[in-house]
Each structure stands twice: as structure tokens, then as C-alpha cells.
């Protein structure tokens, strides 16, 4: 099989993986090729609008497992291929040199055994770093069930590693991915979290201490394939951030690929809205000091699809508002819909030099369309609209408020098409 | 009132600032020489570039205002916006008055404008760090044509100097006829016209890797989620001309 075909097959299979981030790791170029830049760089945007930053491929799609939701499961009749280590090394180097990519994101189906699979992946990164002197970004998937000593070696070369948690609960895992044991997933997670922490602490003491996945670990789960609700999902995420020093949790809307499997729901569209709301809720957990139980509770176990989770929280807690932008503290302002961390820092800064006027807020990047219901500026309201949550909700939902509506051509023109 | 002219270089602009600050002459604007703008009712004076004076001003900006402000000045200068010199002069006057905190005074119009312009320029830099494409030539060197809105190849080259430190490469601003040439750990900034790249100039592998990249680009997109609007929002069409995957 020629290499173009292989690349097509093995990138097709990898594309459902949502994580693209190449940020959070700083690797200096010491006389070879490449460096990892902390800000993360996107190199292109695919036709679906997602950023392309890494060469995201599987080493092989010849899988011995049979996960219900996966195109590459053993029972599917799909074209199979595997790279050789050398092919993958050359591909990475040549793409990188032409500035197509920021680095490599390598995952794989499980062939022969988890250990053998992991060994091959380790072989690729080892060669890239040691033979080719490649200093670009490398994200490596840890194969559940692989020996921890191989994972440990791989972690010395990779910038980030991840094990997919796949599904939000153990029962879902049993149902849809019977070959994967919960323990096989958790063990490497605990192990990597621990090693990462140790290596980070070591490096604070000795600058030359060996690196272990300096960009930390991330994980991914599928949303909408199982009956797990949003509260379960964000609680799980909260736990992962706290317990395993997880850097990111990625949510991927379930896409119906295996139509004949009746363990899976039939969805006309992938639940993209829900995925998007989960990312927003996740953002609240990581940067806005919300806890999972504040975002949702058992009487509200699903995120509101119509408005963002922060607005949703605000509408349920009108007693907290309005806040005076000239007085409120950082933590309080974090709760205001339409205000981001950056704009809040700008507000706090500007307050040291004088009173903030309503006009300033726009300059600081505050989205007044949403914030106006929840703040006052010098004691005065920004809008004289009422404080009834139902009415505010209607305002927050109306798209017309946010963007000038595009005018359509008279229907005459549309008839022919 | 007077118009000051300078040679169009960054050092030239700083030299002019130096001259104005020292002589305390009043003036109505600072302009690049050779622009042929009708200079009605005003006399003009050409200020020659003096590297020592320019350095003096640069140091003063870094120490009395901040390094961040100095970077703002470089970036804004590279925007090549009309009357940017006047704006920057007002900016340093403000800066010398306010000091290290200058860039927090965003309600000051001058400070705000400079920060905005500089932000736009650095935004384009960041975009192009990703969207620039090198092609491998016969001799193994790499060549990248670009047509940025702002005059930023010098900044881009700093990024690639770190990244591709063992290669030989050239980034060519086709619109402005400039190029940065990197060889033997050394950057050279050159004026280049009419670089001709034909099929024969490329290395043998080049077409294979382009084909591979295109194949990858197509197969990585999820068809159920096709969204050309979003794609163009992130990757403005004016940058597509040199994108391997879009040609
Ligand atoms: S292990 Fe499961 S999810 Fe991974 S490739 Fe095999 S079948 Fe797919």
C-alpha cells in the first residue's frame, strides 16, 4: 500500500479525537529541529472549521478490540493499515519542516497486545527525539493495559500524554467497550498524574531534572452515546481535574458510525450543542471558580441548551446581582455573564486610576448585551430593563440582539435554485 | 508649520523623535520622505538617520516607559498605517509623562490606539506563524512566499530562527519585495525582486509531501460538520494564495 493511502486511512480513523491543543509545553530547540511554543499555534483550519495543529494519526487501525462506538472495531469491515516507525518519523519531520504542523499526535488501535502497541509508539517518539533531534510537540496516547514501565519511558519523550476515559460511567464502559477495564484506564492516569507532579516539583529544585510529559495529561469522553447526564459528566470532569492533575478534559459529541449496533442510540445529528455547553461548563470549572454542584444539581441534571451555563446560573441566583463594577471583587465579577477573566483584570487595573464609566466597559471587552442585566456602573443601571429572570432569559436567547440580522434577497431570486 | 521627513526606517523615525525632543521645535507631522504628498504651505526638513540617537531613544523608552511599550512601538510602526509616526510620537510623550503604567491607561485615546494597532499586527504575526508554508528546493533549502497586510517578515523570521535553526531558508514578502534569508545561523534582510520559482526549482520529494499534506487535510475534516464560514473566519481567504492545502 502506498503511503498516501496509509495516511488517508490512518488519519480518517484518528480525526474524531477532539483534542488539538499544542499549548502548555515549552521545549527549547537545542541544536535540532523545532520547539514547542507555549502559546500554541494553529497551522490550518479544516473544512469543518477545526484547527489543525498536529499531525494526528493512528499508528495502526488493526484493532483486536470491539468497542461499539468505534469505526475501527474488530467486527467492522474497513480498510486496515499500519505505518512503519520510519514512515511516521519521516512524515513528521517533513511536515514539520514545511511548517504544516506543530508536531505529532499519535494514537493507535490495539494490535497484538497493549504492550506491543505501546512499544511501537514509543519507538516512533524515541527515534524522533534521539535520532532526528526533533524538539517539536508530541502528544501520545497511552494504551490502556500497557505496562507502566513502557508508559513511563514514553512520557520522558512526549510533551503530553492521555488515556481516553471514553465514557462517563463504568456501566456505560461495560456496555459499549467491554474489552476495556476501568482499572486499565485509571491505572495509567494515576501513574501519569503522580509522575508529572513529581517531575514538576523536581524541576523546581534542579533545572536539569528529567522531564516527564511537561504539558501534563488530558483525556477525552464521548457525549451522547449513553444515558449519562450532564451532571454526572461535569462531576467526573471536576474529579479528574482535582485528583489526577488533569490539564484538559475533552468532550466529543457522539457520531453515529456503526448503524447496525442496537446498543447505540440513533441520533439524527451529533449532539453538538450539548458538547458546546459542556465545554462552557468545563471552562467555568477551570477558570471561573465554579463547582460542578453550582452549575447543575440533581433537580437540573442537564445543561440548558438555549443559554450558556453562566447565564443560566445567574438567572437562578438573581439575589447575587446587580454588582457594582467599581466595587465588586474579582471572584464576584467572575460570576457576571458577559465578563471574561481578561476584561475583569482590565477593570480591576483601570479602577486604580479612576472611576469606570459605562463606555469603558466595551473597551475592556465586556459583552454588554449580556452583562447589562447584572451590573451597575457608578450606582446606575446600564439598562433600564427589569430584573425578571424570565424576561432577561428571553433577551439573552434572542439572537437578533447580538448580531444585525442579514437581509435576505427577495424570495423571487430563490425560486430558481 | 514644519514637516519632518525621514528615510522610512524604524531607526530613522526614532532619530527624528530624538531631533524633535532635543530641539523642541514645533511641527505638524512626521513623514516618510519620497511619499510625494503635496506639502502645501509648510516647509520640510529631512532628518538623517543616526543610529546612536535612535538607540538613545530606544533605551529611554525601555527604561522610562517599558519594554512592552517599546514592543508596541515596533509593532505599530510595522503596520505602515498612515500618520503612524505622529501617533507614536504622541504616544512616547504620553509615556514619558505617565511612566511604566502607560499601557494601562486605556481610556487615553493615544494609548488605546497604539495598543489596538499593535495588537492587530501581533495577531497577524501569530496567524502567519501557522499559515506560512515552506517548500523544499533542489539544494535542500526552504522557501516561503507571503503577502502579509503588515510589514512583519522581520518578526516572523525571529520565530523561525529558533525553530529551524539548522536549515537554510528564506521568507519572501512578495508584495513589498523584501526577504529574510537565513543561513549559517545568520539572518539577512534583503531587498529582492523577481524571485522565480519554477517546477524545476523544487526538490524531488516536494510534490510527494504536498500531495500527502493535501490528502491529510481532506481526510481530517469531519464531513457531518462541514462549516466553510467558520473555516474562513479563522483562516481569512486572503491568506489562501500560498497555502498548499488550498491550491
Ligand atoms: S480499542 Fe476500541 S476505540 Fe480503540 S481502536 Fe480499538 S475498537 Fe476502537
Amino acid at each position: 500500500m502506498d503511503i498516501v493511502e496509509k495516511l488517508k486511512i490512518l488519519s480518517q480513523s484518528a480525526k474524531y479525537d477532539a483534542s488539538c491543543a499544542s499549548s502548555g509545553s515549552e521545549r527549547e530547540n537545542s541544536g535540532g529541529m523545532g520547539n514547542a511554543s507555549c502559546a500554541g499555534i494553529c497551522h490550518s483550519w479544516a473544512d469543518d472549521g477545526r484547527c489543525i495543529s498536529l499531525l494526528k494519526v493512528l499508528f495502526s487501525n488493526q484493532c483486536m478490540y470491539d468497542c461499539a462506538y468505534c469505526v475501527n472495531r474488530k467486527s467492522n469491515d474497513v480498510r486496515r493499515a499500519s505505518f512503519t516507525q520510519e514512515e511516521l518519523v519521516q512524515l513528521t519531520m517533513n511536515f514539520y519542516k514545511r511548517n504544516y504542523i506543530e508536531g505529532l499526535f499519535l494514537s493507535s488501535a490495539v494490535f497484538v497486545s497493549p504492550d506491543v502497541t505501546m512499544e511501537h509508539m514509543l519507538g516512533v517518539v524515541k527515534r524522533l527525539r534521539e535520532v532526528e533531534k526533533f524538539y517539536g510537540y508530541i502528544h501520545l496516547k497511552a494504551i490502556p493495559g500497557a505496562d507502566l514501565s513502557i508508559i513511563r519511558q514514553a512520557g520522558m519523550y512526549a510533551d503530553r500524554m492521555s488515556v481516553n476515559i471514553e465514557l462517563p460511567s463504568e456501566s456505560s464502559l461495560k456496555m459499549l467497550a467491554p474489552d476495556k477495564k476501568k482499572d486499565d484506564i485509571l491505572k495509567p492516569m494515576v501513574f501519569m498524574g503522580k509522575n508529572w507532579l513529581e517531575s514538576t516539583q523536581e524541576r523546581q529544585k534542579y533545572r536539569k531534572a528529567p522531564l516527564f510529559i511537561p504539558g501534563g495529561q488530558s483525556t477525552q469522553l464521548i457525549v451522547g452515546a449513553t444515558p449519562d447526564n450532564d451532571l454526572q459528566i461535569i462531576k467526573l470532569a471536576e474529579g479528574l481535574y482535582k485528583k489526577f492533575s488533569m490539564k484538559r478534559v475533552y468532550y466529543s459529541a457522539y457520531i453515529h458510525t456503526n448503524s447496525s449496533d442496537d446498543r447505540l442510540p440513533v441520533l439524527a445529528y451529533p449532539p453538538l450543542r450539548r458538547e458546546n455547553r459542556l465545554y462552557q461548563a468545563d471552562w467555568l470549572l477551570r477558570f471561573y471558580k465554579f463547582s460542578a454542584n453550582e452549575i447543575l444539581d440533581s433537580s437540573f441534571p442537564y445543561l440548558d441548551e438555549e443559554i450558556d451555563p453562566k447565564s443560566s446560573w445567574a438567572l437562578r441566583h438573581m439575589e447575587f446581582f446587580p454588582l457594582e463594577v467599581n466595587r465588586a471583587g474579582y471572584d464576584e465579577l467572575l460570576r457576571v455573564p458577559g465578563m471574561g477573566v481578561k476584561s475583569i483584570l482590565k477593570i480591576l487595573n483601570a479602577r486604580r486610576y479612576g472611576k469606570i464609566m459605562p463606555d469603558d466597559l466595551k473597551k475592556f471587552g465586556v459583552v454588554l448585551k449580556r452583562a447589562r442585566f447584572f451590573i451597575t456602573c457608578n450606582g446606575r443601571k446600564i439598562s433600564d430593563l427589569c430584573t425578571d429572570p424570565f424576561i432577561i432569559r428571553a433577551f439573552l436567547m434572542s439572537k437578533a440582539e447580538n448580531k444585525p440580522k442579514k437581509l435576505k434577497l427577495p424570495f423571487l431570486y430563490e425560486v430558481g435554485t | 508649520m514644519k514637516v519632518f521627513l525621514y528615510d522610512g526606517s524604524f531607526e530613522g523615525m526614532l532619530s527624528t523623535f530624538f531631533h524633535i525632543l532635543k530641539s523642541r521645535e514645533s511641527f505638524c507631522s512626521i513623514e516618510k520622505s519620497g511619499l510625494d504628498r503635496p506639502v502645501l504651505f509648510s516647509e520640510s526638513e529631512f532628518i538623517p538617520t543616526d543610529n546612536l540617537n535612535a538607540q538613545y531613544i530606544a533605551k529611554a523608552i525601555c527604561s522610562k516607559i517599558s519594554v512592552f511599550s517599546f514592543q508596541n512601538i515596533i509593532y505599530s510602526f510595522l503596520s505602515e498605517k498612515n500618520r503612524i509616526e505622529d501617533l507614536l510620537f504622541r504616544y512616547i510623550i504620553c509615556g514619558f509623562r505617565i511612566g511604566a503604567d502607560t499601557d494601562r491607561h486605556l481610556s487615553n485615546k493615544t494609548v488605546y490606539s497604539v495598543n489596538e494597532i499593535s495588537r492587530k499586527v501581533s495577531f497577524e504575526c501569530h496567524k502567519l506563524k501557522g499559515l506560512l508554508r515552506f517548500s523544499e528546493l533542489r539544494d535542500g533549502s526552504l522557501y516561503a512566499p507571503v503577502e502579509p497586510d503588515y510589514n512583519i517578515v522581520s518578526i516572523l523570521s525571529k520565530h523561525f530562527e529558533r525553530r529551524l535553526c539548522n536549515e537554510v531558508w528564506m521568507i519572501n514578502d512578495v508584495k513589498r519585495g523584501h526577504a529574510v534569508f537565513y543561513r549559517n545561523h545568520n539572518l539577512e534582510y534583503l531587498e529582492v525582486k523577481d524571485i522565480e520559482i519554477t517546477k524545476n526549482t523544487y526538490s524531488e520529494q516536494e510534490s510527494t509531501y504536498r500531495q500527502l499534506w493535501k490528502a491529510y487535510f481532506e481526510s481530517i475534516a469531519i464531513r457531518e460538520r462541514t462549516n466553510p464560514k467558520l473555516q474562513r473566519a479563522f483562516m481569512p481567504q486572503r491568506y489562501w494564495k500560498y497555502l498548499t492545502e488550498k491550491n
Side-chain angles (χ1 to χ4, degrees), chain A residues 11 34 43-44 56 102 353, chain B residues 101 133 163 166 216 219 245:
Chain A
S11 56
H43 285 258
S44 192
K56 197 189 281 184
E102 210 44 31
Y353 304 100
Chain B
D101 278 351
R133 296 287 177 267
R163 180 160 286 202
N166 285 338
Y216 178 70
S219 83
E245 60 271 34

Side-chain angles (χ1 to χ4, degrees), chain A residues 58 60-74 80 107-110 144 166 176-177 179-180:
Chain A
L58 299 187
S60 163
N61 73 340
Q62 285 160 328
C63 201
M64 54 190 262
Y65 289 167
D66 206 39
C67 309
Y69 47 82
C70 175
V71 252
N72 293 320
R73 61 183 187 174
K74 187 172 64 186
R80 306 282 173 175
S107 177
S108 183
V110 188
E166 307 284 11
L176 298 184
D179 304 305
K180 290 183 184 159

Side-chain angles (χ1 to χ4, degrees), chain B:
Chain B
M1 255 193 293
K2 212 170 188 177
V3 173
F4 284 112
L5 298 173
Y6 73 105
D7 64 1
S9 68
F10 185 64
E11 289 76 11
M13 180 181 76
L14 294 187
S15 308
T16 313
F17 288 176
F18 181 88
H19 175 87
I20 297 170
L21 288 170
K22 203 171 154 222
S23 65
R24 296 175 178 271
E25 267 179 282
S26 59
F27 68 103
C28 74
S29 75
I30 307 167
E31 287 174 19
K32 293 186 180 60
S33 65
L35 275 187
D36 273 346
R37 223 178 267 149
V39 190
L40 288 180
F41 313 116
S42 54
E43 55 167 319
S44 63
E45 182 185 343
F46 181 81
I47 307 293
T49 298
D50 179 319
N51 280 333
L52 281 180
N53 290 352
Q55 254 178 38
Y56 182 87
I57 288 286
K59 273 194 195 135
I61 293 169
C62 292
S63 65
K64 297 224 169 78
I65 314 176
S66 66
V67 178
F68 179 77
S69 301
F70 186 60
Q71 191 186 317
N72 271 343
I73 293 171
I74 298 178
Y75 278 51
S76 310
F77 175 77
L78 294 176
S79 76
E80 300 180 328
K81 283 225 183 322
N82 205 3
R83 302 239 180 265
I84 189 70
E85 299 87 351
D86 298 344
L87 177 69
L88 289 176
F89 187 75
R90 287 202 301 279
Y91 178 67
I92 62 165
I93 296 298
C94 263
F96 286 144
R97 190 163 38 89
I98 305 173
D101 278 351
T102 302
D103 292 296
R104 290 190 174 152
H105 286 65
L106 288 177
S107 41
N108 177 318
K109 256 202 182 139
T110 305
V111 175
Y112 179 71
S113 315
V114 171
N115 274 281
E116 268 310 280
I117 296 173
S118 152
R119 194 176 56 85
K120 282 191 189 137
V121 175
S122 79
F123 181 76
E124 185 177 50
C125 282
H126 187 72
K127 271 267 131 104
L128 284 179
K129 278 180 196 171
L131 293 177
L132 185 123
R133 296 287 177 267
F134 283 107
S135 306
E136 192 182 59
L137 306 183
R138 290 245 130 165
D139 59 357
S141 69
L142 302 166
Y143 172 74
V146 279
E147 289 183 24
D149 295 343
Y150 308 121
N151 191 3
I152 53 173
V153 283
S154 53
I155 298 180
L156 286 175
S157 64
K158 283 284 166 200
H159 170 74
F160 289 102
E161 183 186 17
R162 257 172 280 134
R163 180 160 286 202
L164 301 174
C165 63
N166 285 338
E167 312 295 311
V168 176
W169 48 258
M170 179 186 275
I171 300 174
N172 181 194
D173 185 331
V174 181
K175 204 159 73 181
R176 294 179 180 77
H178 300 167
V180 177
F181 189 41
Y182 177 85
R183 180 175 47 178
N184 300 331
H185 303 275
N186 200 16
L187 286 171
E188 260 177 291
Y189 195 28
L190 310 164
E191 189 170 308
V192 291
K193 296 256 148 70
D194 315 318
I195 290 190
E196 219 184 301
I197 301 281
T198 61
K199 277 219 169 86
N200 290 323
T201 343
Y202 293 124
S203 75
E204 264 169 54
Q205 296 187 347
E206 182 57 24
S207 70
T208 314
Y209 282 106
R210 285 189 183 194
Q211 194 195 349
L212 280 162
W213 174 240
K214 279 189 198 176
Y216 178 70
F217 181 79
E218 273 158 35
S219 83
I220 196 81
I222 297 179
R223 223 181 302 127
E224 293 88 334
R225 293 186 174 195
T226 303
N227 192 343
K229 234 186 179 172
L230 191 62
Q231 184 186 37
R232 274 198 300 272
F234 285 125
M235 192 162 74
Q237 230 155 344
R238 62 178 184 283
Y239 296 131
W240 289 14
K241 189 167 167 192
Y242 299 113
L243 283 182
T244 318
E245 60 271 34
K246 282 290 177 190
N247 288 295

Side-chain angles (χ1 to χ4, degrees), chain A residues 32-188:
Chain A
M33 184 183 289
N35 55 351
S37 106
C38 204
I41 295 175
C42 290
H43 285 258
S44 192
W45 281 266
D47 290 342
D48 52 16
R50 287 186 313 161
C51 128
I52 303 178
S53 133
L54 304 171
L55 170 61
K56 197 189 281 184
V57 285
L58 299 187
F59 186 85
S60 163
N61 73 340
Q62 285 160 328
C63 201
M64 54 190 262
Y65 289 167
D66 206 39
C67 309
Y69 47 82
C70 175
V71 252
N72 293 320
R73 61 183 187 174
K74 187 172 64 186
S75 57
N76 273 11
D77 182 23
V78 293
R79 294 184 68 198
R80 306 282 173 175
S82 301
F83 282 119
T84 65
Q85 295 183 19
E86 186 57 22
E87 279 171 348
L88 209 42
V89 168
Q90 285 315 320
L91 203 55
T92 310
M93 291 306 286
N94 275 289
F95 274 15
Y96 191 87
K97 196 179 184 181
R98 287 168 176 77
N99 206 37
Y100 296 163
I101 52 167
E102 210 44 31
L104 175 67
F105 183 121
L106 185 59
S107 177
S108 183
V110 188
F111 55 95
V112 188
S113 75
D115 282 356
V116 169
T117 311
M118 201 66 226
E119 292 267 15
H120 272 285
M121 296 166 76
L122 168 65
V124 173
V125 286
K126 194 168 175 180
R127 242 199 246 202
L128 276 171
R129 294 280 196 232
E130 287 187 346
V131 182
E132 303 286 340
K133 302 273 180 261
F134 176 71
Y135 294 97
Y137 189 87
I138 297 178
H139 182 148
L140 210 57
K141 282 263 142 103
I143 303 295
D147 197 285
L148 293 182
S149 69
I150 315 176
I151 293 181
R152 180 170 170 79
Q153 275 191 67
M156 316 276 275
Y157 297 111
D159 291 286
R160 178 174 280 187
M161 285 184 81
S162 56
V163 205
N164 285 358
I165 200 154
E166 307 284 11
L167 294 164
S169 65
E170 194 176 359
S171 55
S172 301
L173 199 64
K174 263 199 190 121
M175 180 171 74
L176 298 184
D179 304 305
K180 290 183 184 159
K181 304 282 164 296
K182 184 180 159 214
D183 262 3
D184 288 348
I185 294 173
L186 289 187
K187 245 194 343 204

